[in-house]
Amino acid sequence: MNKELTREERTDALGGMGCKRKRVEDARFTQGKGNYVDDIKLPGMLHGDFVRSPYAHAKVVSINTDAAMALDGVVAVLTAADLAPLGLHWMPTLAGDKQMVLADGKVLFQGQEVAYVVAKDRYIAADAVELVEVEYEELPVLTDPFAAMESDVVLREDLMGEGGALPDGAHGPRKHHNHIFTWEVGEKEATQQVLDEADVVAEEMVYYHRTHPCPLETCGCVASMDKVNGKLTLHGTFQAPHAIRTVVSLISGIEEHNIRVISPDIGGGFGNKVGAYPGYVCSVVASIVTGVPVKWVEDRMENLMTTAFARDYHMHGKISATKEGKITGLWCHTTADHGGFDACADPTKFPAGFMNICTGSYDIPTAYLAVDGVYTNKAPGGVSYRCSFRVTEAAYFIERMVEILAIELNMDAAELRRINFIKKDQFPYQSALGWEYDSGDYHTAWDKALKAVDYDGLRAEQAQRVEDFKAGKTRKLMGIGLTHFTEIVGAGPVKNCDILGLGMFDSCEIRIHPTGSAIARLGTISQGQGHATTFAQILATEIGLPADSITIEEGDTDTAPYGLGTYGSRSTPVAGAATAMAGRKIRAKAQMIAAYLLEVHDDDVEFDVDRFVVKGAPEKFKTMKEIAFAAYNQAIPGIEPGLEAVSYYDPPNMTYPFGAYVCVMDIDVDTGVTDIRRFYALDDCGTRINPMIIEGQVHGGLTEALAVALGQEIAYDDMGNVKTGTLMDFFLPTAWEVPNYETDHTVTPSPHHPIGAKGVGESPHVGGVPCFSNAVNDAFRAFGLRHTHMPHDHWRIWKTANELGLHG
Amino acid sequence: MIPAAFEYHRPKDLEGVLSVLVEHGDDARVLAGGHSLIPMMKLRMADVEHLIDLQDVAGMSGIAVDGGSVRIGAMTTQNDIITSDALAGAAPIMHEAALQIADPQVRYMGTVGGNVANGDPGNDMPGLMQCLDATFTLVGPDGERTVAAREFYEAAYMTDRDDAEVLTAVSFAAQAGGYAYEKQKRKIGDYATAAAAVLLTKEGGVCTSASIAMTNLSDTPIWSEAAGAALAGTSVDDAAISAAVGAMLGDIDPTEDNRGPIEFKRHAASVVLGRAIARAWSRA
Ligand SMILES: Cc1cc2nc3c(=O)[nH]c(=O)nc-3n(C[C@H](O)[C@H](O)[C@H](O)COP(=O)(O)OP(=O)(O)OC[C@H]3O[C@@H](n4cnc5c(N)ncnc54)[C@H](O)[C@@H]3O)c2cc1C
């Protein structure tokens, strides 16, 4: 007989919420045993590859596929003309626009898909691509959205009405033939009046450059049409497998029950794998045409040049305050460069995502935001790279504007933030741009952060450094980057959040096995976040079975319940809530079974870690393991056999994680080289499910923030050529460039989430980008700098220093 | 990123290599570590119908330090350079420079011969070889010859090597005096924004000789004779360093790329050279 365990020991044995459970995924990942799309090999499988446009804007005069078709091993070469009879030469985008699957008479960006070659092996496909002859006639190229809005050149003839009329777009009236939409939030006149009457107004154009999520694994799929039973199986790198199934069904006309979408292991997504790409459509068509499976996997250049980019927001801001520094108003006009097609992945009612979180952590009474989307000759996309919809843009904007306002007021930027934070007792807080912040305690977090880094000491050191620099004793400046960000994640309430009409709830289905282990399936899909680890922890605590006895499965639409997938830090806020709620249904039934077994009334038993005990008589209990067995194998009057539950969770509100970050950076003014001496990150993500996973997420998000702030960009020349199409030029930091991060936390649970969790995967990126950038800007504040654009790579920092006259 | 088809040859000796080179001329290329050539083939920028792997060719690698002279076989890897004690004594600048090339994975495969024969202005070894006044040994169907590193580079990817020749070794005199290899790059694994190799000798507080070469600042490495001359005979004070930097700026011809505009490249070149001279002088 085992010795009776204490309550604490029983809790520890579950490995539930709050413990640093090791990632169950890592055993296979660290041994190279993951199963990614490119690992999938089906019998008779063919390989697809694209002919892509070398031009950013050109008419496609002719396509000759004869030489390619003549190559031994080539099975088919698809062009728009082949897809047109099926109506598949264009496809709908997530933003309500449409996008060419294969060039239909013209191309709009360099790398655009022109023809799709299908061959017996990957090498033959690549050889055949070279043999397809395409005749182009170059057209004028527009790479600047401001110029595009003035230009006579029409990029999208397909959107023009009769006689040059401009029909409305998916988001209302259009102002110009290269204009996509205007989105307005807040009070325009009132804000203007506040600005007019303010003591102080700071104004700046804040450009957030174009970059790319660049997951380790590129996008790809294997489409397999079984002509005998009419079923299509589509393996792919999908962050939203169920949505993909619905979209494929709507586009192809294949009934949804005949489509099985499977997301196997995914090597990072960061928003890049939310959308639908021409490669998926072409592979499906090719499999339907040939009757055998067809694989398509992008290479790195294709991924960087053609699949969804992020940002490219020109944010013109004005912020006003009293002399004492109380912020009175915020105005923002954004010109958003969407490329050749509007393929942003945002909830339908939010064409600029949640950019209206741009009042940030501050109590700003009056605000106005307008966003104009514009077509240019660049790749489509505009996804949320490791952030909720356009939230990094918003956080970067407000955190830069506050710093600039501090300069204008000649105030310390930390103090300016402190006097403007939304106070703890103001939550739930209604923002001027329409959000209801669920909970927060910004002052506590801020004070803790400043104390941890000895903020006053850092400022004193910085002042001394400036003196030494001026005296010629050093050529290094010191920057102190501050950020207090508020995110908005967990999209979202179905009443206002849908993508193409698909409501943004999520789901969990649990099946308890008779011997007391379980499987839970969710509508989300891990791309490295460790769902199999953390969701089992939520359940362990909710249902009292050990996390190690719970399998978590996602990504197969034939088995998992419907859900909208993983992006925008929505897995924990939405599917995590569904998991807890489904767990509670299990527990409710278990309670009835326990009461029956213990021969007491339902109300006389209570849940205690891993068992139900008779109230007041803890020695009388039934463990969840025992209850599971009884659920299946004992006839219990009035109760169906089995122990299963499903929950579809429609969140009542978003969650609002926040954090306080400080970066200390030394900058070599002569070379532009930056050295991050210290990075402190305090995150408040509400209830903490697994501190170790949180820390890993914070490290990853900060590293991608460092990349974006210090060098990572998708740059084009005036001809629309991508200048950063390989990892030689597209900056991915290595361990060498990454500093040692100090992580910290406060805990302010979400009041409306079943377990109080808010989501953390994207916070460090949202807060990290402005923090690194603020450090660079701050280093030059003493020499008169107001704002310099990212990315802060060596030559741009040198240029800033040069323009300030720091090179003598 | 899928290369075109090619024939793979793996001869055991130099005769075997030469016979394929002679037979196929332009269509044949030797493969050393592959870390420059294979990416070019995958990008289909290099069209190689016959690839001759040098991996099994006997006698092409190894570092020999014999009295005052150093000979490094072409197939010696960059990692071998870093771990060689003999070289650390005879030419510590090689060690300092090799540590700044690419990353460990690349250095395990990338060879000295490949690095100097490649002709990419971004490679670090060519400038280094010019600084050391090395000679390259080339073996072709007509026998063996040597060429000075300072005479070898003609333009980007264009060298004095004949298509049918194999570079078998680099040789130079063991270095004396102070040295420094200073490189500015965007991250680990990146080619230089600007790099400077400096060797100088000092007697009684005066610089008696100096050799200076710059990397990735023209379409070939630049050995700046004038920059070296500006240091010789001075006490390497600020004025001398400025003069050397000024002379170097007269010899380089950088182009704009993602690392920055020309003006920045020239600025970075000045800074790295100034720092390299100061460090070399402190070690002399
Ligand atoms: C990510 C990355 C970063 C890098 N960073 C740097 C860097 O910072 N600095 C730097 O200097 N290099 C860098 N390199 C290049 C690397 O050092 C290469 O290995 C080197 O340039 C070529 O050596 P290899 O042995 O790989 O030659 P290969 O790639 O095999 O050959 C290169 C060329 O030289 C020819 N060749 C090779 N050997 C001989 C020979 N013996 N005789 C005649 N011709 C020959 C080949 O035919 C080919 O044309 C980098 C490479 C990568 C992939």
Side-chain angles (χ1 to χ4, degrees), chain A residues 728, chain B residues 29-39 54 60 74-75 78 100-103 106 109-115 117-118 122-125 161 165-168 183 189-192:
Chain A
M728 209 70 229
Chain B
R29 288 276 275 280
V30 296
L31 176 76
H35 274 57
S36 288
L37 184 54
I38 290 176
L54 297 180
M60 276 192 72
M75 289 299 285
Q78 290 148 16
Q100 297 179 64
I101 292 178
D103 54 46
V106 173
M109 291 302 291
T111 66
V112 172
N115 202 299
N118 195 27
N123 281 137
D124 288 289
M125 292 281 174
R161 188 180 64 84
E165 285 180 315
V166 178
L167 193 152
T168 53
K183 175 176 176 180
D190 192 18
Y191 292 90

Tab-separated table of all heavy atoms in Angstrom, chain A residues 728, chain B residues 29-39 54 60 74-75 78 100-103 106 109-115 117-118 122-125 161 165-168 183 189-192, ligand 1:
chain	number	residue	atom	x	y	z
A	728	MET	N	21.603	35.963	-46.871
A	728	MET	CA	22.846	36.729	-46.826
A	728	MET	C	22.507	38.189	-46.489
A	728	MET	O	23.226	38.837	-45.748
A	728	MET	CB	23.517	36.644	-48.203
A	728	MET	CG	25.007	36.759	-48.162
A	728	MET	SD	25.766	35.299	-47.432
A	728	MET	CE	26.865	36.078	-46.272
B	29	ARG	N	34.617	22.309	-63.510
B	29	ARG	CA	35.096	23.141	-62.391
B	29	ARG	C	35.488	22.223	-61.260
B	29	ARG	O	34.854	21.184	-61.039
B	29	ARG	CB	33.974	24.052	-61.871
B	29	ARG	CG	33.595	25.201	-62.767
B	29	ARG	CD	34.489	26.425	-62.595
B	29	ARG	NE	34.063	27.305	-61.506
B	29	ARG	CZ	33.063	28.200	-61.594
B	29	ARG	NH1	32.368	28.309	-62.689
B	29	ARG	NH2	32.774	28.971	-60.570
B	30	VAL	N	36.545	22.613	-60.525
B	30	VAL	CA	36.887	21.816	-59.350
B	30	VAL	C	36.031	22.258	-58.170
B	30	VAL	O	35.601	23.410	-58.079
B	30	VAL	CB	38.387	21.912	-58.983
B	30	VAL	CG1	39.243	21.331	-60.104
B	30	VAL	CG2	38.793	23.336	-58.661
B	31	LEU	N	35.782	21.308	-57.286
B	31	LEU	CA	35.010	21.562	-56.075
B	31	LEU	C	35.915	21.329	-54.873
B	31	LEU	O	36.497	20.262	-54.733
B	31	LEU	CB	33.826	20.590	-56.007
B	31	LEU	CG	32.972	20.655	-54.742
B	31	LEU	CD1	32.062	21.871	-54.772
B	31	LEU	CD2	32.130	19.389	-54.584
B	32	ALA	N	36.047	22.343	-54.038
B	32	ALA	CA	36.841	22.173	-52.809
B	32	ALA	C	35.859	21.996	-51.659
B	32	ALA	O	35.215	20.960	-51.539
B	32	ALA	CB	37.761	23.365	-52.630
B	33	GLY	N	35.660	23.028	-50.839
B	33	GLY	CA	34.703	22.915	-49.735
B	33	GLY	C	33.271	23.114	-50.192
B	33	GLY	O	32.320	22.763	-49.491
B	34	GLY	N	33.111	23.705	-51.350
B	34	GLY	CA	31.774	23.864	-51.925
B	34	GLY	C	30.953	25.002	-51.359
B	34	GLY	O	29.823	25.219	-51.787
B	35	HIS	N	31.504	25.751	-50.422
B	35	HIS	CA	30.667	26.759	-49.771
B	35	HIS	C	30.550	28.075	-50.520
B	35	HIS	O	29.819	28.962	-50.119
B	35	HIS	CB	31.111	26.967	-48.323
B	35	HIS	CG	30.444	25.977	-47.427
B	35	HIS	ND1	30.559	24.622	-47.633
B	35	HIS	CD2	29.610	26.125	-46.367
B	35	HIS	CE1	29.846	23.991	-46.719
B	35	HIS	NE2	29.257	24.875	-45.950
B	36	SER	N	31.252	28.196	-51.613
B	36	SER	CA	30.974	29.291	-52.545
B	36	SER	C	30.353	28.727	-53.815
B	36	SER	O	29.380	29.258	-54.340
B	36	SER	CB	32.257	30.056	-52.894
B	36	SER	OG	32.673	30.815	-51.796
B	37	LEU	N	30.909	27.614	-54.284
B	37	LEU	CA	30.471	27.078	-55.570
B	37	LEU	C	29.059	26.475	-55.523
B	37	LEU	O	28.251	26.731	-56.420
B	37	LEU	CB	31.486	26.026	-56.054
B	37	LEU	CG	31.233	25.432	-57.441
B	37	LEU	CD1	31.098	26.526	-58.501
B	37	LEU	CD2	32.344	24.462	-57.824
B	38	ILE	N	28.759	25.713	-54.488
B	38	ILE	CA	27.453	25.043	-54.467
B	38	ILE	C	26.298	26.049	-54.389
B	38	ILE	O	25.321	25.917	-55.133
B	38	ILE	CB	27.409	23.943	-53.386
B	38	ILE	CG1	28.335	22.797	-53.843
B	38	ILE	CG2	25.986	23.424	-53.172
B	38	ILE	CD1	28.487	21.666	-52.869
B	39	PRO	N	26.394	27.084	-53.532
B	39	PRO	CA	25.315	28.087	-53.580
B	39	PRO	C	25.151	28.703	-54.968
B	39	PRO	O	24.020	28.930	-55.422
B	39	PRO	CB	25.756	29.144	-52.559
B	39	PRO	CG	26.670	28.434	-51.623
B	39	PRO	CD	27.332	27.368	-52.429
B	54	LEU	N	37.785	17.636	-55.249
B	54	LEU	CA	39.216	17.512	-54.907
B	54	LEU	C	39.429	16.757	-53.590
B	54	LEU	O	40.560	16.533	-53.180
B	54	LEU	CB	39.853	18.905	-54.775
B	54	LEU	CG	39.877	19.778	-56.038
B	54	LEU	CD1	40.532	21.125	-55.739
B	54	LEU	CD2	40.632	19.071	-57.168
B	60	MET	N	47.070	17.405	-51.099
B	60	MET	CA	46.658	18.798	-51.330
B	60	MET	C	46.372	19.576	-50.053
B	60	MET	O	46.011	20.747	-50.107
B	60	MET	CB	45.443	18.863	-52.261
B	60	MET	CG	45.878	18.809	-53.715
B	60	MET	SD	44.557	19.231	-54.877
B	60	MET	CE	44.352	20.974	-54.651
B	74	ALA	N	46.206	23.678	-50.699
B	74	ALA	CA	44.944	24.325	-51.099
B	74	ALA	C	43.735	23.748	-50.366
B	74	ALA	O	42.787	24.462	-50.053
B	74	ALA	CB	44.750	24.211	-52.610
B	75	MET	N	43.751	22.451	-50.084
B	75	MET	CA	42.575	21.822	-49.468
B	75	MET	C	42.553	21.934	-47.940
B	75	MET	O	41.683	21.364	-47.284
B	75	MET	CB	42.465	20.358	-49.906
B	75	MET	CG	42.068	20.179	-51.362
B	75	MET	SD	40.432	20.887	-51.718
B	75	MET	CE	39.381	19.637	-50.952
B	78	GLN	N	39.616	26.228	-43.440
B	78	GLN	CA	39.746	27.421	-42.596
B	78	GLN	C	39.803	27.014	-41.128
B	78	GLN	O	40.480	27.656	-40.329
B	78	GLN	CB	38.577	28.368	-42.882
B	78	GLN	CG	38.702	28.998	-44.270
B	78	GLN	CD	37.365	29.277	-44.939
B	78	GLN	OE1	36.318	29.284	-44.306
B	78	GLN	NE2	37.401	29.511	-46.240
B	100	GLN	N	37.305	35.214	-38.277
B	100	GLN	CA	36.280	36.186	-38.665
B	100	GLN	C	35.609	35.820	-39.979
B	100	GLN	O	34.809	36.578	-40.516
B	100	GLN	CB	36.902	37.585	-38.763
B	100	GLN	CG	37.433	38.063	-37.417
B	100	GLN	CD	38.074	39.438	-37.497
B	100	GLN	OE1	37.423	40.420	-37.791
B	100	GLN	NE2	39.369	39.503	-37.254
B	101	ILE	N	35.949	34.656	-40.513
B	101	ILE	CA	35.309	34.193	-41.749
B	101	ILE	C	34.082	33.357	-41.390
B	101	ILE	O	34.169	32.406	-40.622
B	101	ILE	CB	36.291	33.342	-42.582
B	101	ILE	CG1	37.430	34.221	-43.110
B	101	ILE	CG2	35.566	32.637	-43.723
B	101	ILE	CD1	38.479	33.478	-43.904
B	102	ALA	N	32.964	33.724	-41.968
B	102	ALA	CA	31.738	32.911	-41.878
B	102	ALA	C	31.463	32.436	-40.464
B	102	ALA	O	31.560	33.193	-39.502
B	102	ALA	CB	31.824	31.751	-42.859
B	103	ASP	N	31.112	31.157	-40.334
B	103	ASP	CA	30.777	30.571	-39.041
B	103	ASP	C	31.457	29.206	-38.969
B	103	ASP	O	32.002	28.732	-39.957
B	103	ASP	CB	29.252	30.454	-38.905
B	103	ASP	CG	28.628	29.706	-40.060
B	103	ASP	OD1	29.148	28.632	-40.444
B	103	ASP	OD2	27.620	30.188	-40.625
B	106	VAL	N	30.759	26.586	-41.794
B	106	VAL	CA	31.363	26.911	-43.082
B	106	VAL	C	32.880	26.677	-43.012
B	106	VAL	O	33.487	26.143	-43.946
B	106	VAL	CB	31.051	28.374	-43.475
B	106	VAL	CG1	31.825	28.772	-44.732
B	106	VAL	CG2	29.555	28.561	-43.690
B	109	MET	N	34.327	23.233	-43.699
B	109	MET	CA	34.341	22.783	-45.098
B	109	MET	C	35.166	23.694	-46.006
B	109	MET	O	35.858	23.226	-46.893
B	109	MET	CB	32.905	22.726	-45.640
B	109	MET	CG	32.015	21.644	-45.047
B	109	MET	SD	32.674	19.983	-45.271
B	109	MET	CE	32.503	19.799	-47.052
B	110	GLY	N	35.046	24.998	-45.800
B	110	GLY	CA	35.680	25.960	-46.709
B	110	GLY	C	37.198	25.855	-46.647
B	110	GLY	O	37.784	25.694	-45.584
B	111	THR	N	37.828	25.930	-47.806
B	111	THR	CA	39.278	25.725	-47.884
B	111	THR	C	40.012	27.023	-48.217
B	111	THR	O	39.424	27.973	-48.742
B	111	THR	CB	39.618	24.704	-48.983
B	111	THR	OG1	39.260	25.268	-50.254
B	111	THR	CG2	38.874	23.385	-48.763
B	112	VAL	N	41.301	27.008	-47.928
B	112	VAL	CA	42.139	28.155	-48.276
B	112	VAL	C	42.204	28.299	-49.793
B	112	VAL	O	42.048	29.388	-50.345
B	112	VAL	CB	43.559	27.978	-47.679
B	112	VAL	CG1	44.496	29.066	-48.189
B	112	VAL	CG2	43.488	27.976	-46.158
B	113	GLY	N	42.393	27.175	-50.475
B	113	GLY	CA	42.490	27.228	-51.937
B	113	GLY	C	41.214	27.754	-52.570
B	113	GLY	O	41.245	28.600	-53.469
B	114	GLY	N	40.079	27.270	-52.093
B	114	GLY	CA	38.794	27.731	-52.626
B	114	GLY	C	38.600	29.212	-52.358
B	114	GLY	O	38.124	29.963	-53.212
B	115	ASN	N	38.995	29.629	-51.199
B	115	ASN	CA	38.808	31.021	-50.820
B	115	ASN	C	39.658	31.958	-51.682
B	115	ASN	O	39.178	33.004	-52.121
B	115	ASN	CB	39.148	31.187	-49.332
B	115	ASN	CG	38.497	32.412	-48.722
B	115	ASN	OD1	38.759	33.526	-49.148
B	115	ASN	ND2	37.645	32.212	-47.726
B	117	ALA	N	41.064	31.108	-54.709
B	117	ALA	CA	40.857	30.893	-56.150
B	117	ALA	C	39.521	31.436	-56.633
B	117	ALA	O	39.350	31.777	-57.799
B	117	ALA	CB	40.941	29.401	-56.479
B	118	ASN	N	38.570	31.537	-55.718
B	118	ASN	CA	37.199	31.917	-56.046
B	118	ASN	C	37.115	33.265	-56.764
B	118	ASN	O	36.390	33.425	-57.746
B	118	ASN	CB	36.425	31.961	-54.713
B	118	ASN	CG	34.938	31.994	-54.874
B	118	ASN	OD1	34.412	31.504	-55.860
B	118	ASN	ND2	34.258	32.582	-53.916
B	122	GLY	N	34.466	39.572	-51.842
B	122	GLY	CA	34.080	39.477	-50.432
B	122	GLY	C	34.936	38.499	-49.641
B	122	GLY	O	34.949	38.540	-48.411
B	123	ASN	N	35.644	37.611	-50.319
B	123	ASN	CA	36.469	36.644	-49.580
B	123	ASN	C	37.590	37.349	-48.829
B	123	ASN	O	38.194	38.303	-49.333
B	123	ASN	CB	37.074	35.616	-50.547
B	123	ASN	CG	36.070	34.540	-50.938
B	123	ASN	OD1	35.969	34.160	-52.090
B	123	ASN	ND2	35.327	34.045	-49.974
B	124	ASP	N	37.873	36.847	-47.631
B	124	ASP	CA	38.867	37.508	-46.791
B	124	ASP	C	40.306	37.095	-47.079
B	124	ASP	O	41.235	37.869	-46.851
B	124	ASP	CB	38.568	37.203	-45.310
B	124	ASP	CG	37.323	37.948	-44.837
B	124	ASP	OD1	37.404	39.180	-44.693
B	124	ASP	OD2	36.275	37.305	-44.626
B	125	MET	N	40.485	35.857	-47.528
B	125	MET	CA	41.862	35.365	-47.700
B	125	MET	C	42.649	36.090	-48.795
B	125	MET	O	43.849	36.303	-48.647
B	125	MET	CB	41.852	33.859	-47.996
B	125	MET	CG	41.394	33.011	-46.841
B	125	MET	SD	42.711	32.800	-45.633
B	125	MET	CE	41.827	31.935	-44.353
B	161	ARG	N	44.397	32.629	-63.027
B	161	ARG	CA	44.370	31.169	-63.180
B	161	ARG	C	43.695	30.779	-64.490
B	161	ARG	O	42.629	31.281	-64.822
B	161	ARG	CB	43.613	30.536	-62.001
B	161	ARG	CG	43.687	29.022	-61.946
B	161	ARG	CD	42.909	28.475	-60.758
B	161	ARG	NE	41.480	28.757	-60.882
B	161	ARG	CZ	40.611	28.011	-61.576
B	161	ARG	NH1	41.029	26.916	-62.205
B	161	ARG	NH2	39.347	28.335	-61.633
B	165	GLU	N	43.874	25.018	-64.901
B	165	GLU	CA	44.850	24.939	-63.811
B	165	GLU	C	44.168	24.724	-62.462
B	165	GLU	O	43.052	25.189	-62.221
B	165	GLU	CB	45.665	26.232	-63.732
B	165	GLU	CG	46.705	26.351	-64.840
B	165	GLU	CD	47.490	27.642	-64.732
B	165	GLU	OE1	46.880	28.715	-64.508
B	165	GLU	OE2	48.723	27.582	-64.883
B	166	VAL	N	44.932	24.049	-61.589
B	166	VAL	CA	44.474	23.849	-60.212
B	166	VAL	C	45.444	24.593	-59.304
B	166	VAL	O	46.662	24.550	-59.508
B	166	VAL	CB	44.478	22.349	-59.844
B	166	VAL	CG1	44.049	22.166	-58.396
B	166	VAL	CG2	43.545	21.581	-60.769
B	167	LEU	N	44.888	25.281	-58.335
B	167	LEU	CA	45.735	25.954	-57.363
B	167	LEU	C	46.058	24.919	-56.283
B	167	LEU	O	45.147	24.349	-55.681
B	167	LEU	CB	44.985	27.149	-56.790
B	167	LEU	CG	45.754	28.177	-55.979
B	167	LEU	CD1	45.075	29.539	-56.097
B	167	LEU	CD2	45.888	27.792	-54.517
B	168	THR	N	47.323	24.649	-56.087
B	168	THR	CA	47.663	23.554	-55.159
B	168	THR	C	48.129	24.046	-53.798
B	168	THR	O	47.992	23.330	-52.811
B	168	THR	CB	48.760	22.648	-55.756
B	168	THR	OG1	49.857	23.480	-56.139
B	168	THR	CG2	48.231	21.886	-56.958
B	183	LYS	N	37.727	43.556	-39.196
B	183	LYS	CA	36.636	43.374	-40.161
B	183	LYS	C	35.336	43.891	-39.580
B	183	LYS	O	34.968	43.533	-38.463
B	183	LYS	CB	36.519	41.874	-40.477
B	183	LYS	CG	35.357	41.493	-41.387
B	183	LYS	CD	35.404	39.996	-41.704
B	183	LYS	CE	34.214	39.554	-42.530
B	183	LYS	NZ	34.243	38.111	-42.839
B	189	GLY	N	28.803	35.243	-40.056
B	189	GLY	CA	28.454	34.612	-41.321
B	189	GLY	C	28.340	35.598	-42.455
B	189	GLY	O	27.999	35.231	-43.576
B	190	ASP	N	28.640	36.867	-42.177
B	190	ASP	CA	28.524	37.865	-43.239
B	190	ASP	C	29.902	38.191	-43.810
B	190	ASP	O	30.910	38.101	-43.127
B	190	ASP	CB	27.897	39.141	-42.665
B	190	ASP	CG	27.463	40.120	-43.761
B	190	ASP	OD1	27.333	39.685	-44.932
B	190	ASP	OD2	27.255	41.291	-43.431
B	191	TYR	N	29.880	38.561	-45.079
B	191	TYR	CA	31.096	39.079	-45.705
B	191	TYR	C	31.338	40.491	-45.177
B	191	TYR	O	30.447	41.115	-44.591
B	191	TYR	CB	30.951	39.082	-47.221
B	191	TYR	CG	30.904	37.687	-47.799
B	191	TYR	CD1	29.693	37.023	-47.961
B	191	TYR	CD2	32.077	37.023	-48.147
B	191	TYR	CE1	29.645	35.724	-48.469
B	191	TYR	CE2	32.039	35.727	-48.657
B	191	TYR	CZ	30.827	35.088	-48.824
B	191	TYR	OH	30.788	33.810	-49.318
B	192	ALA	N	32.528	41.009	-45.433
B	192	ALA	CA	32.919	42.286	-44.839
B	192	ALA	C	32.158	43.467	-45.430
B	192	ALA	O	31.931	43.520	-46.636
B	192	ALA	CB	34.410	42.504	-45.034
C	1	LIG	C1	27.163	31.565	-44.975
C	1	LIG	C2	28.522	31.761	-45.573
C	1	LIG	C3	29.291	32.807	-45.102
C	1	LIG	C4	30.551	33.018	-45.627
C	1	LIG	N1	31.299	34.054	-45.130
C	1	LIG	C5	32.542	34.244	-45.592
C	1	LIG	C6	33.369	35.265	-45.080
C	1	LIG	O1	32.984	35.990	-44.178
C	1	LIG	N2	34.597	35.426	-45.609
C	1	LIG	C7	35.071	34.616	-46.585
C	1	LIG	O2	36.201	34.778	-47.003
C	1	LIG	N3	34.316	33.632	-47.089
C	1	LIG	C8	33.084	33.408	-46.607
C	1	LIG	N4	32.320	32.400	-47.123
C	1	LIG	C9	32.863	31.602	-48.197
C	1	LIG	C10	33.614	30.388	-47.660
C	1	LIG	O3	34.746	30.801	-46.943
C	1	LIG	C11	33.961	29.499	-48.838
C	1	LIG	O4	34.151	28.258	-48.285
C	1	LIG	C12	35.176	29.901	-49.626
C	1	LIG	O5	34.986	31.161	-50.218
C	1	LIG	C13	35.438	28.948	-50.786
C	1	LIG	O6	36.082	27.853	-50.347
C	1	LIG	P1	35.548	26.428	-50.718
C	1	LIG	O7	36.624	25.488	-50.312
C	1	LIG	O8	34.243	26.233	-50.107
C	1	LIG	O9	35.497	26.505	-52.324
C	1	LIG	P2	34.419	26.035	-53.359
C	1	LIG	O10	33.119	26.635	-53.080
C	1	LIG	O11	34.488	24.563	-53.502
C	1	LIG	O12	35.041	26.687	-54.664
C	1	LIG	C14	35.000	28.060	-54.896
C	1	LIG	C15	35.579	28.368	-56.280
C	1	LIG	O13	36.964	28.168	-56.291
C	1	LIG	C16	37.318	27.155	-57.224
C	1	LIG	N5	38.347	26.358	-56.574
C	1	LIG	C17	38.257	25.771	-55.362
C	1	LIG	N6	39.416	25.175	-55.055
C	1	LIG	C18	40.235	25.382	-56.094
C	1	LIG	C19	41.566	24.987	-56.376
C	1	LIG	N7	42.282	24.311	-55.487
C	1	LIG	N8	42.094	25.363	-57.541
C	1	LIG	C20	41.375	26.070	-58.440
C	1	LIG	N9	40.127	26.468	-58.228
C	1	LIG	C21	39.562	26.124	-57.063
C	1	LIG	C22	36.057	26.395	-57.497
C	1	LIG	O14	36.072	25.827	-58.783
C	1	LIG	C23	35.032	27.478	-57.372
C	1	LIG	O15	34.956	28.230	-58.548
C	1	LIG	C24	31.059	32.177	-46.636
C	1	LIG	C25	30.281	31.127	-47.110
C	1	LIG	C26	29.016	30.908	-46.600
C	1	LIG	C27	28.192	29.781	-47.111
